[in-house]
Amino acid sequence: MNINGKKVLLRAIEKGDKNLLYTLVNDPDTERMIGGSSFPVSDYEQENWMNSQIGRTDILRCVIALKEKPEQGLGTVILSDIDMKDAVAQAHIKMADHTGRRKGYGTDALSAMVHYAFSELRLNCIYAEILSYNIPSQKLFEKCGFQKEGVLRERVFKGGKFENVIVYSLLKTDVNDNE
């Protein structure tokens, strides 16, 4: 089953997506814009990681692809820390630099994932934690209806200093059910 947006579809990660995931995890520009720390990842480590994700129910990772070219991944959209009791999950999105940015694909992918989370997973709240200097991601989440909740001060160490993290959330009641 795929999750359909207007321009993109969200599909399960396949073995053939290993190069896309390897590129995203090793891209220094992508790493600079996300929280946490990263280490260089080898092809072998990437393959082992992919195998370790099979059967997990606390995370939904999808490849973003154009409807006309479902085999070609543009990036990933993820729901992590899915808590079915409290009906909450954290949203993440990464777009490959060479193809998918600034064309509306990220907005479509995030909107499709939100719709799926609220209508099929019966979640009530989706949140995101975005570095304070990652203005493109803040604009993306705001465009998708997320509201700024607050600031986690000096929460992430990047580029030799501590950076603030902006917390956004979207409740099911914030979204028009007709979308």
Side-chain angles (χ1 to χ4, degrees), residues 72-89:
Q72 182 182 346
L74 302 173
T76 58
V77 63
I78 299 166
L79 289 178
S80 70
D81 302 316
I82 298 171
D83 180 336
M84 298 308 280
K85 178 188 174 290
D86 292 328
V88 65

Side-chain angles (χ1 to χ4, degrees), residues 52-66:
S52 76
Q53 299 304 299
I54 296 169
R56 290 193 57 183
T57 58
D58 63 329
I59 192 161
L60 172 60
R61 286 187 175 88
C62 293
V63 167
I64 303 165
L66 291 176

Side-chain angles (χ1 to χ4, degrees), residues 147-167:
Q147 297 178 29
K148 182 178 175 181
E149 286 194 343
V151 178
L152 303 174
R153 298 180 312 140
E154 297 185 5
R155 189 57 55 102
V156 173
F157 191 75
K158 289 282 183 181
K161 64 180 188 171
F162 288 96
E163 299 288 348
N164 293 343
V165 172
I166 312 295
V167 178

